[in-house]
Amino acid sequence: MSYSAMLFDLDQTLIIKKPDTVDLVRSRLSDHGLDTEPERIQRAFANSEIWIAQQVMKENETGERMDDDTFLHHIWAAYQAELDLPLEIKNVLLPIFRGECEQKYELMPGAKETLAVLYAGGVTLGVVSNHRASIRKVLDEFGLTKYFTAIIISDEVKKWKPDPGIIHLALREMGAIGMNALYTGDHPFDILCAHQAGIHAAWMPPNPYYTIPEFIGRPEFEIRSLDQLLRV
């Protein structure tokens, strides 16, 4: 292994929510007589995630935060445009976008095994995630915390990816400034954040409809499973 330090995103990288957003949307639409192909919902999800990341980047740059109702309307608009949904379905989907539906975390396949091998091999490990502080409890429950020298959560440090400062915080806490480091995440803006922080990126997209905006550029690695990190 050529990297002495590795950092990870959380959602869709080390842990996953079940049912996921695509499953929840499909179920709610079906309940209202709208049987929509999962592939179309995956495209809508990918489009909404790109919009969210672009908005977060804009807010990082300007310091001005969009109000919640407008933010949720834009997410709805991404689904409406892709799925051609009637307006009355908006209130059906908003609870999903607000995170109000019951979901449970599961480990990403191979997550604990991969971390254990990297840790045993002397690789310094860290987490950098746009998340709430409560996610630390999930890491504890899955027995992952012990592997990480640094766990940097945006809600705690008030920095959000793709601001490279959040990765710099992790690298300093890990004692890894100047080390050959790799950041693994599911979102194109994870690539942007890593490259702006001066480290390499491994991209593990959650569905085939995620695309990388041209201004970001390609990651050093595109992987389909976490165990592939053992061979980079």
Side-chain angles (χ1 to χ4, degrees), residues 7-17 105-109 111 115 126-140 142 144-145 148 150-154 156 161 183-187 190 204 206 226:
L7 303 94
F8 295 85
D9 184 28
L10 287 179
D11 279 355
Q12 300 292 337
T13 302
L14 293 179
I15 55 178
I16 49 178
K17 284 181 178 178
Y105 276 109
E106 296 180 4
L107 276 173
M108 180 68 77
L115 292 174
V127 163
V128 174
S129 175
N130 284 3
H131 225 298
R132 298 181 180 90
S134 57
I135 198 63
R136 288 181 178 272
K137 182 180 178 182
V138 176
L139 295 180
D140 286 342
F142 284 135
L144 299 186
T145 304
F148 301 116
I151 299 175
I152 305 298
I153 307 298
S154 60
E156 297 175 340
K161 296 179 297 181
Y183 182 64
T184 299
D186 67 297
H187 198 286
D190 290 325
M204 192 169 71
L226 288 169

Side-chain angles (χ1 to χ4, degrees), residues 106-124:
E106 296 180 4
L107 276 173
M108 180 68 77
K112 198 166 188 177
E113 295 83 355
T114 299
L115 292 174
V117 172
L118 293 170
Y119 183 82
V123 180
T124 304

